[in-house]
Structures are given as structure tokens and as C-alpha cells.
């Protein structure tokens, strides 16, 4: 691990040297919209310090890092009205940037995502991308400490975000 690597695109984003639509800015990690999204809202979660792969990430950072992934996955539903999400990581093979990152992608039934041959969907404008980033950031507001996860069948449901219809 090094705090930052010269020439690493994600380190440049972390240092503020390269623009990105930031969704999450935490002391240990940050998340931003993918510049070539599978679907609008496709977010990359990255540790702030430079680790090339998951196996390079110190064990004491794995839990906190994946807590951010868990929250981003929920934000796809609560912030964007997605029916679910796809969470994935490549290590070396198909890893386009050699800096550990998790893809969190909003999903809908029959959205065309099959196997690993995925269409890319561009934002119509920088303003549209900024809107997606803001909606996801708002959905990541601190969660209340409940101490208990809801039980299956307890009536807990995920509803779409304000003004969004299911499948929006």
C-alpha cells in the first residue's frame, strides 16, 4: 500500500486532480460515478489509500470498506428507485485501473444485463450526472443505529426514492 500512486487515475481523483462526480467521501474510502456506466448511477467504491487488489487490503479495513459497499447498494434502491443492484469487483483480470474498486450498479428486471457483455449508457449531460451523484449521496445519509436487522416477513420493504416510480 501507498497513500497515493503517481499516474493512478483513482489516486488523482482522491487528490482532487481529476474531476469526478463524488457520491461518498469518507476518511477511508470514496465513491464516484463511473465515467462509462453500465446504467446511470453506476458507482465505483475505492479505498482512499492505494491498494491494487482485495488481497492487498489489510484485513482490518475489509469490513469497513464493504460496509460502504453495503450502503451504496441500498442507496441504489432508496436514492434511485432501482429494483436492486449488482455489486462486483475484478482483481487484476479485467481490472481496468490497478487500484482496488467495487462496482455498485443499479438494476431493473429485464434491463439487458446478461453475462459479462454489458451495454454502456452515457449521461446526457454533466448536470444529469451531477443529479445522479447528488441523489446517491443523499441516500447515503447516516443510518440510525438500530442494532437489529429486520426479520424476513417483518413488513420491511424498500421503496423508491422521492418522486421515483419503480423501474425509474
Amino acid at each position: 500500500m501507498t497513500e497515493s500512486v503517481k499516474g493512478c487515475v483513482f489516486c488523482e481523483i482522491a487528490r482532487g486532480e481529476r474531476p469526478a462526480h463524488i457520491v461518498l467521501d469518507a476518511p477511508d474510502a470514496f465513491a464516484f460515478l463511473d465515467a462509462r456506466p453500465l446504467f446511470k448511477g453506476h458507482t465505483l467504491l475505492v479505498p482512499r489509500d492505494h491498494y491494487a487488489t482485495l488481497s492487498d487490503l489489510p484485513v482490518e479495513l475489509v469490513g469497513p470498506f464493504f460496509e460502504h459497499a453495503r450502503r451504496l447498494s441500498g442507496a441504489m434502491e432508496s436514492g434511485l428507485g432501482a429494483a436492486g443492484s449488482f455489486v462486483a469487483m475484478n482483481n487484476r483480470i479485467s481490472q481496468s485501473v490497478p487500484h482496488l474498486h467495487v462496482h455498485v450498479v443499479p438494476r431493473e428486471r429485464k434491463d439487458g444485463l446478461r453475462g459479462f457483455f454489458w451495454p454502456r449508457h452515457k449521461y446526457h449531460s454533466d448536470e444529469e450526472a451531477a443529479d445522479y451523484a447528488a441523489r446517491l449521496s443523499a441516500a447515503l445519509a447516516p443510518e440510525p443505529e438500530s442494532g437489529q436487522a429486520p426479520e424476513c416477513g417483518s413488513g420491511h420493504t424498500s421503496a423508491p426514492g422521492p418522486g421515483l416510480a419503480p423501474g425509474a
Side-chain angles (χ1 to χ4, degrees):
M1 181 284 301
T2 55
E3 283 188 25
S4 183
V5 171
K6 186 174 177 148
C8 173
V9 173
F10 294 166
C11 288
E12 290 173 0
I13 293 170
R15 292 190 306 262
E17 297 170 358
R18 181 181 291 257
H21 292 282
I22 303 298
V23 171
L24 172 74
D25 190 0
D28 60 329
F30 62 103
F32 52 94
L33 295 179
D34 191 311
R36 294 179 44 230
L38 295 174
F39 298 111
K40 294 172 184 178
H42 178 168
T43 299
L44 300 177
L45 171 65
V46 179
R48 191 163 293 283
D49 289 337
H50 186 96
Y51 299 97
T53 67
L54 182 58
S55 60
D56 298 325
L57 187 67
V59 69
E60 65 272 11
L61 299 180
V62 173
F65 184 70
F66 278 96
E67 172 59 16
H68 295 305
R70 183 194 69 79
R71 293 185 62 225
L72 282 165
S73 177
M76 297 296 155
E77 296 179 33
S78 66
L80 300 181
S85 63
F86 174 70
V87 179
M89 176 190 308
N90 291 307
N91 278 294
R92 296 192 215 295
I93 305 301
S94 295
Q95 187 179 10
S96 58
V97 176
H99 185 133
L100 175 64
H101 57 284
V102 173
H103 296 260
V104 184
V105 182
R107 295 292 312 273
E108 300 296 337
R109 294 195 191 293
K110 299 184 179 184
D111 59 15
L113 192 60
R114 289 187 281 274
F116 292 95
F117 302 102
W118 303 330
R120 297 289 180 153
H121 301 271
K122 292 184 178 183
Y123 295 98
H124 294 295
S125 66
D126 197 53
E127 290 76 18
E128 183 182 38
D131 176 64
Y132 270 79
R135 289 164 51 199
L136 287 167
S137 291
L140 289 170
E143 295 178 341
E145 294 285 335
S146 67
Q148 292 278 346
E151 294 181 25
C152 289
S154 68
H156 173 76
T157 59
S158 295
L164 293 177

